[in-house]
Coordinates of all heavy atoms in Angstrom, one line a residue:
M1 N -21.9 -18.9 -10.8 CA -20.5 -19.1 -11.0 C -20.0 -18.0 -12.0 O -20.6 -17.8 -13.0 CB -20.3 -20.5 -11.6 CG -18.8 -20.8 -11.9 SD -17.8 -21.0 -10.4 CE -18.4 -22.6 -9.8
A2 N -18.8 -17.5 -11.7 CA -18.2 -16.5 -12.5 C -16.7 -16.9 -12.8 O -16.1 -17.4 -11.8 CB -18.2 -15.1 -11.9
I3 N -16.3 -16.7 -14.0 CA -14.8 -16.9 -14.3 C -14.2 -15.5 -14.3 O -14.7 -14.7 -15.1 CB -14.6 -17.6 -15.6 CG1 -15.4 -19.0 -15.6 CG2 -13.1 -17.8 -15.8 CD1 -14.8 -20.0 -14.6
L4 N -13.2 -15.3 -13.5 CA -12.6 -14.0 -13.4 C -11.2 -14.1 -14.1 O -10.5 -15.0 -13.9 CB -12.4 -13.5 -12.0 CG -13.7 -13.6 -11.1 CD1 -13.4 -13.3 -9.7 CD2 -14.7 -12.6 -11.6
K5 N -10.9 -13.1 -14.8 CA -9.5 -13.0 -15.5 C -8.7 -12.2 -14.5 O -8.8 -10.9 -14.5 CB -9.6 -12.3 -16.8 CG -10.6 -13.0 -17.8 CD -10.0 -13.9 -18.7 CE -11.0 -14.6 -19.6 NZ -10.6 -16.0 -19.9
V6 N -7.8 -12.8 -13.8 CA -7.0 -12.1 -12.8 C -5.6 -11.9 -13.2 O -4.9 -12.9 -13.4 CB -7.1 -12.9 -11.4 CG1 -6.4 -12.1 -10.3 CG2 -8.6 -13.1 -11.0
K7 N -5.1 -10.7 -13.2 CA -3.7 -10.4 -13.5 C -3.0 -10.4 -12.2 O -3.3 -9.7 -11.2 CB -3.6 -9.0 -14.2 CG -2.2 -8.7 -14.6 CD -2.1 -7.4 -15.4 CE -0.7 -7.1 -15.7 NZ -0.6 -5.7 -16.4
T8 N -2.0 -11.3 -12.1 CA -1.3 -11.4 -10.8 C -0.1 -10.5 -10.7 O 0.2 -9.8 -11.7 CB -0.8 -12.9 -10.7 OG1 0.1 -13.1 -11.8 CG2 -1.9 -13.9 -10.8
L9 N 0.5 -10.4 -9.6 CA 1.6 -9.5 -9.3 C 2.8 -9.8 -10.2 O 3.6 -8.9 -10.5 CB 2.1 -9.5 -7.9 CG 1.1 -8.9 -6.9 CD1 1.5 -9.2 -5.4 CD2 0.9 -7.4 -7.1
D10 N 2.9 -11.0 -10.8 CA 4.1 -11.3 -11.7 C 3.7 -11.0 -13.1 O 4.4 -11.4 -14.0 CB 4.6 -12.7 -11.5 CG 3.6 -13.8 -11.7 OD1 2.4 -13.4 -12.2 OD2 3.9 -14.9 -11.5
G11 N 2.5 -10.4 -13.4 CA 2.1 -10.0 -14.7 C 1.4 -11.1 -15.5 O 1.0 -10.8 -16.7
K12 N 1.2 -12.3 -14.9 CA 0.5 -13.3 -15.6 C -1.0 -13.2 -15.4 O -1.4 -12.5 -14.5 CB 1.0 -14.7 -15.1 CG 2.5 -14.9 -15.5 CD 2.9 -16.3 -14.9 CE 4.4 -16.5 -15.2 NZ 5.0 -17.5 -14.4
T13 N -1.8 -13.8 -16.2 CA -3.2 -13.8 -16.1 C -3.7 -15.2 -15.8 O -3.3 -16.1 -16.5 CB -3.9 -13.2 -17.3 OG1 -3.4 -11.9 -17.6 CG2 -5.4 -13.2 -17.1
R14 N -4.5 -15.3 -14.8 CA -5.1 -16.6 -14.4 C -6.6 -16.5 -14.4 O -7.2 -15.5 -14.0 CB -4.7 -17.1 -13.0 CG -3.2 -17.5 -12.9 CD -2.8 -17.8 -11.5 NE -3.7 -18.8 -10.9 CZ -3.5 -19.2 -9.6 NH1 -2.6 -18.6 -8.9 NH2 -4.3 -20.1 -9.1
D15 N -7.3 -17.6 -14.8 CA -8.8 -17.7 -14.7 C -9.1 -18.3 -13.4 O -8.6 -19.4 -13.0 CB -9.3 -18.6 -15.9 CG -9.3 -17.9 -17.2 OD1 -9.0 -16.7 -17.3 OD2 -9.6 -18.5 -18.2
I16 N -9.9 -17.6 -12.6 CA -10.3 -18.0 -11.3 C -11.8 -18.2 -11.2 O -12.5 -17.3 -11.6 CB -9.9 -16.9 -10.2 CG1 -8.4 -16.7 -10.3 CG2 -10.3 -17.4 -8.8 CD1 -7.5 -17.9 -9.9
E17 N -12.3 -19.3 -10.7 CA -13.7 -19.5 -10.6 C -14.2 -19.0 -9.3 O -13.5 -19.1 -8.2 CB -14.0 -21.0 -10.6 CG -13.9 -21.7 -11.9 CD -14.4 -23.1 -11.9 OE1 -14.9 -23.6 -10.8 OE2 -14.3 -23.8 -12.9
A18 N -15.3 -18.3 -9.3 CA -15.9 -17.7 -8.1 C -17.4 -18.0 -8.0 O -18.0 -17.9 -9.1 CB -15.6 -16.2 -8.0
V19 N -17.9 -18.4 -6.9 CA -19.3 -18.7 -6.8 C -20.1 -17.4 -6.5 O -19.7 -16.6 -5.7 CB -19.5 -19.7 -5.6 CG1 -21.0 -20.0 -5.4 CG2 -18.7 -20.9 -5.8
D20 N -21.2 -17.3 -7.2 CA -22.1 -16.2 -7.0 C -22.5 -16.1 -5.5 O -22.8 -17.1 -4.9 CB -23.4 -16.3 -7.8 CG -23.2 -16.1 -9.3 OD1 -22.1 -15.8 -9.7 OD2 -24.2 -16.3 -10.1
G21 N -22.4 -14.9 -5.0 CA -22.8 -14.7 -3.6 C -21.6 -14.8 -2.6 O -21.7 -14.4 -1.5
A22 N -20.5 -15.3 -3.1 CA -19.3 -15.5 -2.2 C -18.5 -14.2 -2.3 O -18.6 -13.4 -3.2 CB -18.4 -16.6 -2.7
L23 N -17.7 -14.0 -1.3 CA -16.8 -12.8 -1.3 C -15.7 -13.0 -2.3 O -15.1 -14.1 -2.4 CB -16.1 -12.6 0.1 CG -17.1 -12.3 1.2 CD1 -16.3 -12.3 2.6 CD2 -17.7 -10.9 1.0
L24 N -15.4 -12.0 -3.1 CA -14.3 -12.1 -4.1 C -13.0 -12.5 -3.3 O -12.2 -13.3 -3.9 CB -14.1 -10.7 -4.8 CG -13.0 -10.6 -5.7 CD1 -13.0 -11.7 -6.8 CD2 -13.0 -9.2 -6.3
M25 N -12.8 -11.9 -2.2 CA -11.6 -12.3 -1.4 C -11.4 -13.8 -1.2 O -10.3 -14.3 -1.3 CB -11.6 -11.5 -0.1 CG -10.4 -11.9 0.9 SD -10.8 -13.3 2.0 CE -11.7 -12.5 3.2
E26 N -12.5 -14.5 -0.9 CA -12.5 -15.9 -0.7 C -11.9 -16.7 -1.9 O -11.1 -17.6 -1.8 CB -13.8 -16.4 -0.3 CG -14.3 -15.9 1.0 CD -15.8 -16.2 1.3 OE1 -16.6 -16.5 0.4 OE2 -16.1 -16.2 2.5
A27 N -12.4 -16.3 -3.1 CA -11.9 -16.9 -4.3 C -10.4 -16.6 -4.5 O -9.6 -17.5 -4.9 CB -12.7 -16.5 -5.5
L28 N -10.0 -15.4 -4.3 CA -8.7 -15.0 -4.6 C -7.7 -15.6 -3.5 O -6.6 -16.0 -3.8 CB -8.5 -13.5 -4.6 CG -9.3 -12.7 -5.7 CD1 -9.2 -11.2 -5.5 CD2 -8.8 -13.2 -7.0
N29 N -8.2 -15.7 -2.3 CA -7.4 -16.3 -1.2 C -7.2 -17.8 -1.4 O -6.2 -18.3 -1.2 CB -8.0 -16.0 0.1 CG -7.2 -16.4 1.3 OD1 -7.6 -17.4 2.0 ND2 -6.1 -15.8 1.5
A30 N -8.3 -18.5 -1.9 CA -8.2 -19.9 -2.2 C -7.2 -20.2 -3.3 O -6.6 -21.2 -3.3 CB -9.6 -20.4 -2.5
A31 N -7.1 -19.2 -4.2 CA -6.1 -19.4 -5.3 C -4.7 -18.8 -4.9 O -3.8 -18.8 -5.7 CB -6.6 -18.6 -6.5
M32 N -4.6 -18.5 -3.6 CA -3.4 -18.0 -3.1 C -2.9 -16.7 -3.8 O -1.7 -16.5 -4.0 CB -2.3 -19.1 -3.1 CG -2.8 -20.2 -2.2 SD -1.7 -21.7 -2.1 CE -0.1 -21.2 -2.1
L33 N -3.8 -15.8 -4.2 CA -3.4 -14.6 -4.8 C -3.5 -13.4 -3.9 O -2.9 -12.3 -4.3 CB -4.4 -14.4 -6.0 CG -4.2 -15.4 -7.2 CD1 -5.2 -15.2 -8.3 CD2 -2.8 -15.4 -7.7
V34 N -4.2 -13.5 -2.8 CA -4.2 -12.4 -1.8 C -4.0 -13.0 -0.4 O -4.4 -14.2 -0.2 CB -5.5 -11.5 -1.8 CG1 -5.6 -10.8 -3.2 CG2 -6.7 -12.4 -1.5
D35 N -3.4 -12.3 0.5 CA -3.2 -12.8 1.8 C -4.5 -12.7 2.7 O -4.7 -13.5 3.5 CB -2.0 -12.1 2.5 CG -0.7 -12.5 1.9 OD1 -0.6 -13.6 1.3 OD2 0.3 -11.7 2.0
A36 N -5.2 -11.6 2.6 CA -6.4 -11.3 3.4 C -6.0 -11.5 4.9 O -6.7 -12.2 5.6 CB -7.5 -12.3 3.0
T37 N -5.0 -10.8 5.3 CA -4.5 -10.9 6.6 C -5.5 -10.7 7.7 O -5.5 -11.3 8.8 CB -3.3 -9.9 6.8 OG1 -2.4 -10.2 5.7 CG2 -2.6 -10.2 8.1
C38 N -6.4 -9.7 7.6 CA -7.3 -9.4 8.6 C -8.6 -10.3 8.6 O -9.5 -10.1 9.4 CB -7.7 -7.9 8.6 SG -8.8 -7.4 7.3
G39 N -8.7 -11.1 7.6 CA -9.8 -12.1 7.5 C -11.1 -11.4 7.0 O -12.2 -12.0 7.2
G40 N -11.0 -10.2 6.5 CA -12.2 -9.6 5.9 C -12.8 -8.5 6.7 O -13.9 -8.1 6.5
A41 N -12.0 -7.9 7.6 CA -12.4 -6.8 8.4 C -12.2 -5.4 7.8 O -12.3 -4.4 8.5 CB -11.8 -6.9 9.8
A42 N -11.7 -5.4 6.6 CA -11.4 -4.1 5.9 C -10.4 -3.3 6.7 O -10.4 -2.1 6.7 CB -12.7 -3.3 5.7
S43 N -9.4 -4.0 7.3 CA -8.4 -3.3 8.1 C -7.0 -3.6 7.7 O -6.1 -3.0 8.4 CB -8.7 -3.6 9.6 OG -8.5 -4.9 9.8
C44 N -6.7 -4.4 6.7 CA -5.3 -4.7 6.4 C -5.0 -4.2 4.9 O -3.8 -3.9 4.7 CB -5.1 -6.2 6.5 SG -5.8 -7.2 5.2
G45 N -5.9 -4.2 4.0 CA -5.6 -3.8 2.7 C -4.9 -4.8 1.8 O -4.6 -4.5 0.6
T46 N -4.6 -6.0 2.3 CA -3.9 -7.0 1.6 C -4.8 -7.7 0.5 O -4.3 -8.5 -0.2 CB -3.3 -8.1 2.5 OG1 -4.3 -8.8 3.2 CG2 -2.3 -7.4 3.4
C47 N -6.0 -7.4 0.5 CA -6.9 -8.0 -0.5 C -7.3 -7.0 -1.6 O -8.3 -7.2 -2.4 CB -8.2 -8.5 0.1 SG -9.2 -7.2 0.8
H48 N -6.6 -5.9 -1.7 CA -6.9 -4.8 -2.6 C -6.7 -5.2 -4.1 O -5.7 -5.9 -4.4 CB -5.9 -3.6 -2.3 CG -6.1 -2.4 -3.2 ND1 -5.1 -1.5 -3.4 CD2 -7.1 -2.0 -4.0 CE1 -5.4 -0.6 -4.2 NE2 -6.6 -0.8 -4.6
V49 N -7.8 -5.0 -4.9 CA -7.7 -5.3 -6.3 C -8.2 -4.1 -7.1 O -8.8 -3.2 -6.6 CB -8.6 -6.5 -6.7 CG1 -8.1 -7.8 -5.9 CG2 -10.1 -6.2 -6.4
Y50 N -7.8 -4.1 -8.4 CA -8.3 -3.1 -9.4 C -9.2 -3.8 -10.4 O -8.8 -4.8 -11.0 CB -7.1 -2.5 -10.2 CG -6.0 -1.9 -9.4 CD1 -4.7 -2.4 -9.4 CD2 -6.2 -0.8 -8.6 CE1 -3.7 -1.8 -8.7 CE2 -5.2 -0.2 -7.9 CZ -3.9 -0.7 -7.9 OH -2.9 -0.1 -7.2
F51 N -10.4 -3.3 -10.5 CA -11.3 -3.7 -11.6 C -10.9 -2.9 -12.9 O -10.9 -1.7 -12.8 CB -12.8 -3.5 -11.3 CG -13.3 -4.6 -10.5 CD1 -13.1 -4.7 -9.1 CD2 -14.2 -5.6 -11.1 CE1 -13.6 -5.8 -8.4 CE2 -14.7 -6.6 -10.3 CZ -14.4 -6.7 -9.0
E52 N -10.6 -3.6 -14.0 CA -10.3 -2.9 -15.2 C -11.5 -2.0 -15.6 O -11.3 -0.9 -16.0 CB -10.0 -3.9 -16.3 CG -9.5 -3.3 -17.6 CD -9.0 -4.4 -18.6 OE1 -8.0 -5.0 -18.3 OE2 -9.7 -4.6 -19.6
D53 N -12.7 -2.6 -15.5 CA -13.9 -1.8 -15.8 C -14.5 -1.4 -14.5 O -15.1 -2.1 -13.8 CB -14.9 -2.7 -16.6 CG -16.2 -2.0 -16.9 OD1 -16.4 -0.8 -16.4 OD2 -17.0 -2.6 -17.7
A54 N -14.2 -0.1 -14.2 CA -14.6 0.4 -12.8 C -16.1 0.3 -12.6 O -16.6 0.3 -11.5 CB -14.2 1.9 -12.7
S55 N -16.9 0.3 -13.7 CA -18.4 0.2 -13.5 C -18.8 -1.2 -12.9 O -19.9 -1.3 -12.4 CB -19.1 0.4 -14.9 OG -18.9 -0.7 -15.7
L56 N -17.9 -2.2 -13.0 CA -18.2 -3.5 -12.4 C -17.8 -3.6 -10.9 O -18.1 -4.6 -10.2 CB -17.5 -4.6 -13.2 CG -18.1 -4.8 -14.6 CD1 -17.2 -5.8 -15.4 CD2 -19.5 -5.2 -14.6
A57 N -17.1 -2.5 -10.4 CA -16.5 -2.6 -9.1 C -17.6 -2.4 -8.0 O -17.4 -2.8 -6.9 CB -15.4 -1.6 -9.0
G58 N -18.6 -1.7 -8.3 CA -19.7 -1.5 -7.3 C -19.2 -0.4 -6.3 O -18.2 0.2 -6.5
E59 N -20.1 -0.2 -5.3 CA -19.9 0.8 -4.3 C -19.0 0.4 -3.2 O -19.2 -0.7 -2.7 CB -21.2 1.3 -3.8 CG -22.1 2.0 -4.7 CD -21.6 3.3 -5.2 OE1 -21.1 4.1 -4.3 OE2 -21.7 3.6 -6.4
Q60 N -18.1 1.2 -2.8 CA -17.2 0.9 -1.6 C -18.1 1.1 -0.3 O -18.9 2.0 -0.3 CB -16.0 1.9 -1.5 CG -15.1 1.8 -2.7 CD -14.1 2.9 -2.7 OE1 -14.0 3.7 -1.8 NE2 -13.2 2.9 -3.7
T61 N -17.8 0.3 0.7 CA -18.4 0.5 2.0 C -17.7 1.7 2.6 O -16.6 2.1 2.2 CB -18.3 -0.7 2.9 OG1 -16.9 -0.9 3.2 CG2 -18.8 -2.0 2.2
E62 N -18.2 2.2 3.7 CA -17.6 3.4 4.4 C -16.3 3.0 4.9 O -15.3 3.7 4.7 CB -18.6 3.8 5.5 CG -18.1 5.1 6.1 CD -19.1 5.7 7.1 OE1 -20.2 5.1 7.3 OE2 -18.7 6.6 7.8
D63 N -16.2 1.9 5.6 CA -14.9 1.4 6.2 C -13.9 1.2 5.1 O -12.7 1.5 5.3 CB -15.1 0.2 7.1 CG -15.8 0.4 8.4 OD1 -15.9 1.6 8.8 OD2 -16.2 -0.5 9.0
E64 N -14.3 0.6 4.0 CA -13.4 0.3 2.9 C -12.9 1.6 2.3 O -11.7 1.7 2.0 CB -14.2 -0.4 1.8 CG -13.5 -0.8 0.6 CD -14.4 -1.5 -0.4 OE1 -15.6 -1.6 -0.2 OE2 -13.9 -2.0 -1.4
G65 N -13.7 2.6 2.2 CA -13.3 3.9 1.7 C -12.2 4.5 2.6 O -11.2 5.0 2.0
Y66 N -12.3 4.4 3.9 CA -11.3 4.9 4.8 C -10.0 4.1 4.6 O -8.9 4.7 4.6 CB -11.7 4.8 6.2 CG -12.8 5.7 6.6 CD1 -13.9 5.3 7.3 CD2 -12.8 7.1 6.2 CE1 -15.0 6.1 7.7 CE2 -13.8 7.9 6.6 CZ -14.9 7.5 7.3 OH -15.9 8.3 7.6
M67 N -10.1 2.8 4.5 CA -8.9 1.9 4.3 C -8.2 2.3 3.0 O -7.0 2.4 3.0 CB -9.3 0.5 4.4 CG -8.1 -0.5 4.4 SD -7.2 -0.4 5.9 CE -5.5 -0.5 5.3
L68 N -9.0 2.4 1.9 CA -8.4 2.7 0.6 C -7.7 4.1 0.6 O -6.7 4.3 0.1 CB -9.4 2.6 -0.5 CG -9.8 1.2 -0.9 CD1 -11.0 1.2 -1.8 CD2 -8.7 0.4 -1.5
E69 N -8.3 5.0 1.4 CA -7.7 6.3 1.5 C -6.4 6.3 2.1 O -5.4 6.9 1.7 CB -8.7 7.2 2.3 CG -8.3 8.7 2.2 CD -9.4 9.5 3.0 OE1 -10.6 9.3 2.8 OE2 -9.0 10.4 3.8
S70 N -6.3 5.5 3.2 CA -5.0 5.4 3.9 C -4.0 4.6 3.0 O -2.8 4.9 3.0 CB -5.1 4.8 5.3 OG -5.6 3.5 5.2
L71 N -4.4 3.6 2.3 CA -3.5 2.8 1.4 C -3.0 3.7 0.3 O -1.9 3.5 -0.2 CB -4.3 1.7 0.7 CG -4.5 0.4 1.5 CD1 -5.3 -0.6 0.6 CD2 -3.2 -0.2 1.9
G72 N -3.7 4.8 0.0 CA -3.3 5.7 -1.1 C -2.0 6.4 -0.8 O -1.4 7.0 -1.7
D73 N -1.6 6.4 0.4 CA -0.3 7.0 0.7 C 0.9 6.1 0.2 O 2.0 6.5 0.2 CB -0.1 7.2 2.3 CG -1.0 8.2 2.8 OD1 -1.5 9.1 2.0 OD2 -1.3 8.2 4.0
F74 N 0.6 4.8 -0.1 CA 1.6 3.8 -0.4 C 1.4 3.2 -1.8 O 2.4 2.8 -2.4 CB 1.6 2.7 0.7 CG 1.7 3.3 2.1 CD1 0.6 3.4 2.9 CD2 2.9 3.7 2.6 CE1 0.7 3.9 4.2 CE2 3.0 4.2 3.8 CZ 1.9 4.3 4.6
V75 N 0.2 3.0 -2.2 CA 0.0 2.4 -3.5 C -1.0 3.2 -4.3 O -1.8 4.0 -3.8 CB -0.6 0.9 -3.4 CG1 0.5 0.1 -2.6 CG2 -1.9 0.9 -2.6
E76 N -1.1 2.9 -5.6 CA -2.0 3.6 -6.5 C -3.5 3.2 -6.2 O -3.7 2.0 -6.0 CB -1.7 3.3 -7.9 CG -2.6 3.9 -8.9 CD -2.3 3.5 -10.4 OE1 -1.5 2.6 -10.6 OE2 -3.0 4.0 -11.3
I77 N -4.3 4.2 -6.1 CA -5.8 3.9 -5.9 C -6.4 4.3 -7.3 O -6.2 5.4 -7.7 CB -6.4 4.7 -4.8 CG1 -5.7 4.3 -3.4 CG2 -7.9 4.4 -4.7 CD1 -5.8 2.9 -3.0
R78 N -7.2 3.4 -7.8 CA -7.9 3.7 -9.1 C -9.4 3.8 -8.9 O -9.9 3.3 -7.9 CB -7.5 2.6 -10.1 CG -6.1 2.4 -10.4 CD -5.8 1.3 -11.3 NE -4.4 1.0 -11.5 CZ -3.9 -0.1 -12.0 NH1 -4.7 -1.0 -12.5 NH2 -2.6 -0.3 -12.1
D79 N -10.1 4.2 -10.0 CA -11.5 4.2 -9.9 C -12.1 2.8 -9.6 O -13.1 2.7 -9.0 CB -12.1 4.8 -11.2 CG -11.9 6.2 -11.4 OD1 -11.6 6.9 -10.4 OD2 -12.1 6.7 -12.5
G80 N -11.4 1.8 -10.1 CA -11.8 0.4 -10.0 C -11.3 -0.3 -8.8 O -11.3 -1.5 -8.7
S81 N -10.7 0.5 -7.8 CA -10.1 -0.1 -6.6 C -11.2 -0.6 -5.7 O -12.2 0.0 -5.5 CB -9.3 0.9 -5.8 OG -8.0 1.1 -6.4
R82 N -11.0 -1.9 -5.2 CA -11.9 -2.4 -4.2 C -11.1 -3.3 -3.2 O -10.1 -3.8 -3.6 CB -13.0 -3.3 -4.8 CG -14.1 -2.7 -5.6 CD -15.0 -1.7 -4.8 NE -15.5 -2.2 -3.5 CZ -16.7 -2.7 -3.4 NH1 -17.5 -2.8 -4.4 NH2 -17.2 -3.1 -2.2
L83 N -11.6 -3.4 -2.0 CA -11.1 -4.4 -1.1 C -12.0 -5.6 -1.4 O -13.2 -5.6 -1.2 CB -11.2 -4.0 0.4 CG -10.4 -2.8 0.8 CD1 -10.7 -2.5 2.3 CD2 -8.9 -3.0 0.5
S84 N -11.3 -6.7 -1.9 CA -12.1 -7.8 -2.3 C -12.9 -8.5 -1.2 O -13.8 -9.3 -1.5 CB -11.2 -8.8 -3.1 OG -10.2 -9.3 -2.2
C85 N -12.6 -8.2 0.0 CA -13.3 -8.8 1.1 C -14.6 -8.1 1.4 O -15.4 -8.5 2.2 CB -12.5 -8.8 2.4 SG -12.1 -7.2 3.1
Q86 N -14.8 -7.0 0.7 CA -16.0 -6.2 0.9 C -17.0 -6.2 -0.2 O -17.9 -5.4 -0.3 CB -15.6 -4.7 1.2 CG -14.7 -4.5 2.4 CD -15.3 -5.0 3.7 OE1 -16.4 -4.5 4.1 NE2 -14.7 -5.9 4.4
M87 N -16.8 -7.2 -1.1 CA -17.8 -7.3 -2.2 C -18.0 -8.8 -2.6 O -17.2 -9.6 -2.4 CB -17.2 -6.6 -3.4 CG -15.9 -7.1 -4.0 SD -15.5 -6.2 -5.5 CE -16.9 -6.6 -6.5
K88 N -19.3 -9.0 -3.0 CA -19.7 -10.3 -3.4 C -19.7 -10.5 -4.9 O -20.0 -9.5 -5.6 CB -21.1 -10.6 -2.8 CG -21.0 -10.7 -1.3 CD -22.4 -11.1 -0.7 CE -22.2 -11.3 0.8 NZ -23.5 -11.6 1.4
I89 N -19.5 -11.7 -5.3 CA -19.5 -12.0 -6.7 C -20.9 -12.1 -7.2 O -21.8 -12.6 -6.5 CB -18.8 -13.4 -7.0 CG1 -17.3 -13.3 -6.6 CG2 -19.0 -13.9 -8.4 CD1 -16.6 -12.4 -7.4
E90 N -21.2 -11.5 -8.3 CA -22.5 -11.5 -9.0 C -22.3 -12.0 -10.4 O -21.2 -12.0 -10.9 CB -23.1 -10.1 -9.0 CG -23.3 -9.5 -7.6 CD -23.7 -8.0 -7.7 OE1 -24.5 -7.7 -8.7 OE2 -23.3 -7.2 -6.9
G91 N -23.4 -12.3 -11.1 CA -23.3 -12.8 -12.4 C -22.6 -11.8 -13.4 O -22.0 -12.2 -14.3
K92 N -22.8 -10.5 -13.1 CA -22.2 -9.5 -14.0 C -20.7 -9.6 -14.0 O -20.0 -9.0 -14.8 CB -22.7 -8.1 -13.6 CG -22.1 -7.6 -12.3 CD -22.6 -6.2 -11.9 CE -22.0 -5.8 -10.6 NZ -22.5 -4.4 -10.2
H93 N -20.1 -10.2 -13.0 CA -18.6 -10.3 -12.9 C -18.0 -11.4 -13.8 O -16.8 -11.5 -13.9 CB -18.2 -10.6 -11.5 CG -18.5 -9.4 -10.6 ND1 -19.2 -9.5 -9.4 CD2 -18.3 -8.1 -10.7 CE1 -19.4 -8.3 -8.8 NE2 -18.8 -7.4 -9.6
D94 N -18.9 -12.3 -14.4 CA -18.3 -13.3 -15.2 C -17.5 -12.8 -16.4 O -18.0 -11.9 -17.1 CB -19.5 -14.2 -15.8 CG -19.0 -15.4 -16.5 OD1 -17.9 -16.0 -16.0 OD2 -19.6 -15.8 -17.5
G95 N -16.3 -13.2 -16.5 CA -15.4 -12.7 -17.5 C -14.7 -11.4 -17.3 O -13.9 -10.9 -18.1
C96 N -14.9 -10.8 -16.1 CA -14.4 -9.4 -15.9 C -12.9 -9.6 -15.6 O -12.4 -10.6 -15.1 CB -15.1 -8.6 -14.9 SG -14.8 -9.1 -13.2
A97 N -12.1 -8.5 -15.9 CA -10.7 -8.5 -15.7 C -10.4 -7.7 -14.3 O -10.9 -6.6 -14.1 CB -10.0 -7.7 -16.8
I98 N -9.6 -8.4 -13.5 CA -9.2 -7.9 -12.2 C -7.7 -8.0 -12.1 O -7.1 -8.9 -12.6 CB -9.8 -8.7 -11.1 CG1 -11.4 -8.6 -11.1 CG2 -9.3 -8.3 -9.7 CD1 -12.1 -9.5 -10.2
E99 N -7.1 -7.0 -11.5 CA -5.7 -7.0 -11.3 C -5.4 -6.9 -9.8 O -6.0 -6.2 -9.0 CB -5.0 -5.8 -12.0 CG -3.5 -5.7 -11.8 CD -2.9 -4.5 -12.6 OE1 -3.7 -3.8 -13.4 OE2 -1.8 -4.1 -12.3
I100 N -4.5 -7.8 -9.3 CA -4.1 -7.8 -7.9 C -3.2 -6.5 -7.7 O -2.2 -6.3 -8.4 CB -3.3 -9.0 -7.5 CG1 -4.1 -10.3 -7.8 CG2 -2.9 -9.0 -6.0 CD1 -5.3 -10.5 -7.1
A101 N -3.6 -5.7 -6.7 CA -2.8 -4.5 -6.4 C -1.6 -4.9 -5.6 O -1.6 -5.8 -4.8 CB -3.7 -3.5 -5.6
P102 N -0.5 -4.1 -5.7 CA 0.7 -4.4 -4.9 C 0.4 -4.1 -3.4 O -0.5 -3.3 -3.1 CB 1.7 -3.4 -5.5 CG 1.0 -2.4 -6.2 CD -0.3 -3.0 -6.6
E103 N 1.0 -4.8 -2.5 CA 0.8 -4.6 -1.1 C 1.5 -3.3 -0.7 O 2.6 -3.0 -1.2 CB 1.3 -5.8 -0.3 CG 0.3 -6.9 -0.4 CD 0.6 -8.0 0.7 OE1 1.1 -7.7 1.8 OE2 0.2 -9.1 0.4
A104 N 0.9 -2.6 0.3 CA 1.5 -1.4 0.8 C 2.7 -1.7 1.6 O 2.8 -2.7 2.2 CB 0.4 -0.6 1.6
Ligands
FES1 S1 -8.9 -9.0 4.1 FE1 -8.1 -7.3 5.2 S2 -8.9 -5.6 4.1 FE2 -9.7 -7.3 3.1

């Protein structure tokens, strides 16, 4: 179990519980913080988040990299950018700060 400090689009911060091994997108979607329109296929970009500490963001998948590259025409892409549907929660994420990215 990890507690994530999530900065929402309205600038508030919420603590969100996420189960180890679950997709980050599932926790954020359950909290109604991301739409996840494509259901986790890395094709919509509505689950884009920024990790404040980019070293906790992990490696992007190939498809995710392409999607983030195309999103970059519309929204800021940072070193800590991830599609939350493409990463699983691990113990190292407990207490980490995440920001919901604006939708393209
Ligand atoms: S849910 Fe669509 S890209 Fe992640």
